[in-house]
Amino acid sequence: MDNRLWINLPVKDLQAAQAFYEQAGFLLPKADASNAQQAAFYLEGQHLYVMLFPEESFEAFTQQAIADTSIGSEVLFSLSAKTREEVDNFMFRIEQAGGTVFAPPGERNGMYGAGFSDVDGHRWNFLVMDV
């Protein structure tokens, strides 16, 4: 396997989080790692996996309390897009899946992008960058 980033996220309701990520366009791995305790997703063209864990499982693993995303941000994940249309289409899917677009698609700091939160308040950027 090539190098990948595995993002582990605590979720309040595993089934609701799974439904969000599926509807948003994230894909289940071929060897489906989903079970009653966790779910794995990836986004085509990105070298990352999103692992969803019920909060109790996440806390047992990290041995720390979970950040309250309703009052602050724990982290901001940024994904790269190839085109503005890809950003726009992705944000449409995010809203349809029940996510929150907190920064609508637009030009900012020389980049085109948008920001969204999943159903548990985890924040993401989707950006077109000329690097």
Side-chain angles (χ1 to χ4, degrees):
M1 174 179 9
D2 56 355
N3 292 334
R4 296 191 179 145
L5 174 63
W6 295 81
I7 297 172
N8 299 301
L9 296 176
V11 298
K12 292 176 183 24
D13 180 333
L14 183 60
Q15 289 179 327
Q18 283 178 284
F20 168 79
Y21 280 95
E22 285 178 38
Q23 291 173 22
F26 286 74
L27 307 169
L28 289 167
K30 289 178 186 165
D32 182 6
S34 297
N35 62 41
Q37 300 300 314
Q38 65 187 37
F41 289 91
Y42 70 96
L43 192 58
E44 192 169 17
Q46 306 284 338
H47 291 292
L48 71 89
Y49 281 80
V50 178
M51 298 292 296
L52 306 175
F53 293 92
E55 288 182 338
E56 302 78 34
S57 298
F58 191 87
E59 281 182 328
F61 179 73
T62 62
Q63 298 183 2
Q64 287 190 317
I66 294 170
D68 183 349
T69 58
S70 70
I71 60 171
S73 296
E74 67 212 323
V75 68
L76 177 64
F77 302 108
S78 295
L79 303 170
S80 61
K82 292 180 180 160
T83 66
R84 292 171 176 238
E85 293 76 22
E86 187 179 4
V87 171
D88 296 343
N89 292 336
F90 191 70
M91 288 304 118
F92 177 78
R93 287 196 316 267
I94 291 299
E95 288 182 310
Q96 295 300 305
T100 302
V101 175
F102 64 81
E107 192 77 36
R108 289 174 200 82
N109 301 323
M111 297 176 278
Y112 184 85
F116 72 92
S117 297
D118 68 12
V119 294
D120 286 282
H122 305 295
R123 290 182 165 240
W124 299 78
N125 274 325
F126 202 46
L127 307 166
V128 178
M129 296 184 278
D130 251 348
V131 181

